[in-house]
Structures are given as C-alpha cells and as structure tokens.
Amino acid sequence: MKTTKTPADAPAKDIARFGRADGADPDIDREGGKWNAGIIRGVSLASVGEALGHGMWLDQTTIEQVAEYAQSTGDTGLKCRFTHPGMSSDGMGRHLGRLFDVRVEGEKAVGDLHFAESAHKTPDGDLAEYCMMLTEEDPKAAGLSIVFHHDFNAEYEFQSDHEEDYEYEDHRGRTIKSKRFKSPDERNEHNYPHVRMNELRAADIVDEPAANPDGLFDRSPLARQADQFLSYAAGVSDTKPGATTFGIDGDRASQFFDRWLESHGLSLVSTEVAAMANDTTPEVPATEITRKSLLAEQQRYIDRFGAEDGVKWFADGKSFEDCLGLFADKQSELIESLTAERDEAIEKLASVQLGEDEPIETYPGEESKKVPFSQYVKRNKS
C-alpha cells in the first residue's frame, strides 16, 4: 500500500516551526549591531539533516532557501523572538531583534543577530542580555528555530521524482506492488520527506537542546504536544501528557471525551480493523503439501490421462482442468485418425473381385447349360 501525499492532502495550515540550530564559536559584541544594543555574529539558523521530532529532512536546497528568503527581507531583516509564540500568547513582549547577512556556509545557513534596544526592557526583563550571557556560558543550551511556510507543490514534485518500486505482503499473504519515496541523500536513512519552503517568517531562540550534535530542531513542537494530548484523551495512548499542556488535565479530558462519544453513539475504530471487518473476501485455507498427497495427486493424473501424458503434464505443473482440455484434443485427433483408417479399409475392400460376373462355358455347344463357375463347382462336389 503506497502513501504518497499530494498537494491536495496537505494540511491547510502550512506554517512550520523547525529548530533548533546552534551557532559555533559565538562572537558577541554588547555595544555593536544595527541599534548598538548588541550583536551575536555567525549564529546558525538551520543545518542539513533530520528535523528531529518532525519526520522531515533538510537538504542543501532547503538551506539555500533559508538564506535566500532571509536575504529577501533586505534592510528590514528577519524577525527573531524569544521562543515561539504559544497557543494563548503572541510574540508581543518577546521581540529580540533582527537577523541580517544570512548566508550559506557549508551545510548551514548562518547570520548575525542584531538585538533591538527594546529587547533590554521587556515585560520579562532584559531578554537580550540573558541570551548573550547564555550564549557565552553554554552555547549548546540555546539555538535558533526557523518559522516558515511549506511549499507543498514543490515537496510533492520532489517526492514524485524520487520514487522506487517495492513489494510487500499484506495480512492475507498476498504480494502487493507499489511505489515509495527514496531519498537521494544516503544520510536520510528513514527517507523522510525533503523540506521546501515558499516563505521564511522568523527564526526564534529556543532553549531545549536537540539530540543531533548540530542541534538541528526543537523536539517539543506544538503539533507533537497536541498529538500526545489527543491520543491520551481518545485512549490511543497510555502516556499521560504533562499537566500544563494546554492547561487541561489529561484524565479529565479523557473522561469528557468518553462521555461525548457515548452521548453521540460513536466509537473509535482503527482504519485497519475497519478494513478487515468490511473485507468480504473468503479466507482460503492453507493446504499442507506432503509426499503422500503429492503422489496421490500424480496418480490421479495417471488414472485419468494415462501413464505417459499423466506423468509429463503433472511434472510440467499443468492444472487438472488444463489437462482435461489437452486430453480431449488428443482423443479428437485419435478419433479422426481411426476414422480415416476405417474409410481407407472400406475403400480397399470394395475394390477386391471375388468372382466373374459372366457365366463360364461348362458344356460346349449347349447354351442352356452355361452356368457360373461357382454353381459348376457346387454341382461337381455333389
């Protein structure tokens, strides 16, 4: 079964938050930058590799797109905030500054973070100074996470251009042929879809380190939290989400969901179970082939079609029904041959002369006493 996603299948909300990517050997100047409020040079926005927790892959084209769209902001620069906005909060009060001079260096997109003066006087305190101090003390503890719009058409086209044929066995033991995406990057062992974007909106600082040495992505995105919460509420997962997720207790949400299903006469059934329930194809019992059963089947061929043809057709793997047709053809040919031989024999017998048609002269001079030779012989015997 192939699961290729088309543009029509893409989610309506195409904003993605991928991060985090660390900066290497940070260069900090507290009095530098566009607004003389501080700058961190050479911060990394994104790197080639897996988007941890997102099941997607950034290749060199993605990195070049990050640099291209960041550069397209011109003198305005790319927005940078202190963590991503949440479900109940926007980015107000968390603005840090802007990213400029974003470029590609090897397999990374890097740029310079210019802090705004207002970032030193936010409702939550001096966030600019906090970020610079954290970068000095523990560079791996903070990194940038990009926010962008997916280009679903480009992603689908790339996926379609890199498909391979494969076979798999379904639950009935049948071999199914299909196609699947095969990443051209050998490092993408899980063949994650390659990211393509058509807009870059921001690059925010996040604080949770990623498993990858380059710190590629924030592994606790909003989508994953929502999936965990809903999976627990629906009884799909036994792992209870944190009590602070969306401000709702998981057990209370699960109880409410159960009551809601019951009141509407509904139940949850996995698509696989539903498909099996709707499948009316009768099960074909498996037949165990033994030496005894094999010999018995061969003897059935011999009894019906004779030793020569029965053994040959059985060895050739012909079905019993096919052999019946072959046998009927051979019998028809035999009947035609025998019929032709019979007609030939009748024709030969018809041409044999057993006596004379004219009487022979047995008593010369006495016309009345001329009789056929057979009568003459008969008279003499008597």
Side-chain angles (χ1 to χ4, degrees), residues 265-294:
L266 301 174
S267 62
L268 292 180
V269 180
S270 69
T271 54
E272 182 178 356
V273 173
M276 294 177 63
N278 294 330
D279 192 349
T280 58
T281 304
E283 288 280 358
V284 179
T287 303
E288 181 181 0
I289 299 178
T290 63
R291 184 175 183 275
K292 183 178 180 180
S293 64
L294 197 64

Side-chain angles (χ1 to χ4, degrees), residues 100-113:
F100 294 97
D101 192 23
V102 178
R103 65 272 183 192
V104 176
E105 292 185 0
E107 294 189 334
K108 288 186 177 183
V110 300
D112 301 331
L113 173 56

Side-chain angles (χ1 to χ4, degrees), residues 7-284:
D9 298 324
K13 187 174 182 180
D14 59 352
I15 300 177
R17 297 184 174 108
F18 281 2
R20 70 182 207 20
D22 295 329
D25 299 326
D27 179 8
I28 301 174
D29 181 357
R30 283 179 168 75
E31 296 181 357
K34 186 174 182 178
W35 298 282
N36 299 319
I39 183 175
I40 304 179
R41 297 183 178 89
V43 294
S44 177
L45 284 73
S47 304
V48 170
E50 178 188 350
L52 297 181
H54 294 264
M56 302 197 76
W57 187 264
L58 271 70
D59 57 17
Q60 194 66 28
T61 299
T62 315
I63 302 307
E64 292 172 356
Q65 285 186 328
V66 171
E68 177 185 351
Y69 285 114
Q71 293 168 6
S72 68
T73 59
D75 294 335
T76 303
L78 182 65
K79 179 169 54 179
C80 180
R81 298 163 297 193
F82 185 76
T83 73
H84 295 306
M87 290 188 66
S88 59
S89 64
D90 54 22
M92 181 65 71
R94 293 182 175 272
H95 177 72
L96 292 176
R98 298 278 175 170
L99 285 153
F100 294 97
D101 192 23
V102 178
R103 65 272 183 192
V104 176
E105 292 185 0
E107 294 189 334
K108 288 186 177 183
V110 300
D112 301 331
L113 173 56
H114 295 245
F115 288 100
E117 187 175 353
S118 60
H120 291 275
K121 302 175 183 179
T122 74
D124 293 324
D126 192 342
L127 294 180
E129 179 60 25
Y130 172 77
C131 291
M132 287 186 280
M133 286 184 62
L134 183 63
T135 303
E136 288 177 329
E137 295 174 356
D138 188 0
K140 296 291 184 181
L144 290 175
S145 172
I146 57 175
V147 181
F148 64 93
H149 282 266
H150 278 283
D151 187 342
F152 291 113
N153 288 326
E155 290 176 351
Y156 172 71
E157 183 178 352
F158 182 86
Q159 182 168 318
S160 299
D161 291 340
H162 296 85
E163 290 184 336
E164 64 175 3
D165 297 323
Y166 81 106
E167 297 181 353
Y168 68 94
E169 190 174 280
D170 65 6
H171 66 284
R172 295 188 181 279
R174 296 172 294 191
T175 300
I176 307 299
K177 295 183 178 180
S178 186
K179 291 181 179 294
R180 62 184 174 189
F181 172 66
K182 175 65 176 179
S183 173
D185 192 332
E186 294 181 354
R187 293 172 294 180
N188 186 4
E189 298 178 354
H190 298 289
N191 293 312
Y192 291 128
H194 288 225
V195 175
R196 295 291 180 267
M197 60 183 68
N198 55 27
E199 181 184 355
L200 181 62
R201 302 190 63 183
D204 301 330
I205 288 183
V206 296
D207 63 350
E208 183 178 351
N212 189 284
D214 288 332
L216 293 173
F217 287 88
D218 178 7
R219 293 180 297 172
S220 298
L222 179 63
R224 186 172 67 85
Q225 294 179 7
D227 180 76
Q228 291 177 343
F229 181 78
L230 293 175
S231 295
Y232 183 78
V236 177
S237 171
D238 295 330
T239 303
K240 182 178 178 180
T244 59
T245 302
F246 308 125
I248 305 174
D249 180 73
D251 289 331
R252 294 185 62 185
S254 179
Q255 294 170 6
F256 171 81
F257 189 70
D258 289 340
R259 290 195 299 270
W260 184 86
L261 288 175
E262 183 179 356
S263 65
H264 289 79
L266 301 174
S267 62
L268 292 180
V269 180
S270 69
T271 54
E272 182 178 356
V273 173
M276 294 177 63
N278 294 330
D279 192 349
T280 58
T281 304
E283 288 280 358
V284 179

